[in-house]
Amino acid sequence: MPADQPMVLVVEDEEAQREVLGYNLEAEGFRVSKAANGEEALLLVSEENPDIIVLDWMLPKTSGIEVCRQLKSRPETRGVPVIMLSARSEEVDKVRGLETGADDYVVKPYSVIELMARVRAQLRRTRPAAAGMRLEYEDIVLDSETHRVTRDGAALKLGPTEFRLLSTFMEKPGRVWSREQLLDRVWGRDIYVDTRTVDVHIGRLRKALCQHGGPDPLRTVRGAGYALG
């Protein structure tokens, strides 16, 4: 599965439900990581950098509520959407989950189809390119559905790796991405690529973006990485 497909972390202590969720998410085209308890979830978040977390409330060791609270208190994970799953259907429980920082709250038993729709809805907000949406930054337009990029109306020729790099930058203009973060997002953790390879493809992307003229929109942040704008 392409490394730039969104990563979903499923945190569920009931193995049958965990496997069903994982199966359906993979069938939808997502990469999936799974955790059976809160402590494992917090460890995987730091290792896998998921794009969204489907989190059960009732977990052994560390509860889903506490996991959510910790994630939302950290600057590096605050923006990761959390969909809370719970058998608690009382309004006070929903309010508590949302006030802890959950972005959505789904009551068990739930419809898998509806849950998939809620996952996609959250990703449209945080990973618009992966959701097939059109991205714009100044005079650059990227259509992730047709894989076309234009600048000031002129079509640009980009290789597949440069296209994924640009998608990553355009989803979060201004954010500084380290070489390691770009390797994880664009190439994936399962493939060994030297960090210098990132520099090579950034150079190609810069050349492609400026092939019809215009200033270089990419910024090199010494000792940190690269950013768009």
Side-chain angles (χ1 to χ4, degrees):
M1 190 172 292
D4 59 336
Q5 288 298 99
M7 162 71 77
V8 183
L9 173 59
V10 175
V11 189
E12 169 63 72
D13 62 319
E14 294 186 25
E15 184 179 4
Q17 290 196 40
R18 190 168 65 244
E19 293 305 314
V20 166
L21 276 175
Y23 174 83
N24 281 277
L25 286 162
E26 288 177 346
E28 290 284 322
F30 299 116
R31 293 180 295 141
V32 177
S33 186
K34 304 169 193 170
N37 59 63
E39 291 181 3
E40 186 182 1
L42 290 169
L43 179 63
L44 282 175
V45 167
S46 62
E47 291 180 349
E48 302 286 354
N49 296 313
D51 295 291
I52 186 169
I53 301 168
V54 178
L55 177 65
D56 186 32
W57 179 317
M58 299 297 290
L59 293 172
K61 298 184 179 180
T62 305
S63 71
I65 281 285
E66 177 59 20
V67 170
C68 185
R69 188 195 66 75
Q70 290 191 35
L71 293 174
K72 295 301 182 177
S73 68
R74 301 173 185 172
E76 65 271 22
T77 55
R78 188 174 297 146
V80 179
V82 173
I83 298 179
M84 184 78 72
L85 306 180
S86 176
R88 299 168 180 256
S89 59
E90 296 295 324
E91 183 179 43
V92 64
D93 295 316
K94 294 180 182 179
V95 170
R96 184 183 173 197
L98 293 170
E99 287 187 342
T100 303
D103 298 88
D104 201 353
Y105 190 100
V106 177
V107 176
K108 295 180 176 181
Y110 51 80
S111 158
V112 172
I113 294 174
E114 180 186 352
L115 182 58
M116 296 301 110
R118 289 174 182 264
V119 169
R120 288 193 296 270
Q122 291 294 330
L123 287 171
R124 281 197 294 273
R125 179 172 60 85
T126 59
R127 290 288 312 276
M133 297 176 68
R134 172 185 165 115
L135 303 180
E136 296 185 21
Y137 175 79
E138 294 184 350
D139 59 349
I140 303 170
V141 178
L142 181 148
D143 189 322
S144 53
E145 201 162 51
T146 62
H147 268 239
R148 291 179 179 172
V149 179
T150 61
R151 184 171 189 187
D152 197 23
L156 302 181
K157 293 182 179 179
L158 270 69
T161 301
E162 287 69 46
F163 185 89
R164 292 196 297 272
L165 276 170
L166 183 59
S167 297
T168 299
F169 286 126
M170 290 187 69
E171 284 182 340
K172 289 180 170 40
R175 170 179 170 171
V176 178
W177 294 83
S178 69
R179 290 171 177 82
E180 291 75 15
Q181 289 171 331
L182 290 171
L183 281 174
D184 287 347
R185 174 62 66 88
V186 176
W187 282 268
R189 286 178 172 267
D190 298 331
I191 300 174
Y192 176 76
V193 180
D194 191 279
T195 54
R196 288 173 294 184
T197 302
V198 175
D199 300 332
V200 171
H201 286 278
I202 289 290
R204 291 176 182 172
L205 177 57
R206 280 184 157 134
K207 184 176 180 180
L209 290 172
C210 299
Q211 62 190 259
H212 300 304
D216 181 3
L218 296 179
R219 178 166 52 97
T220 301
V221 182
R222 188 176 298 275
Y226 300 99
L228 177 65

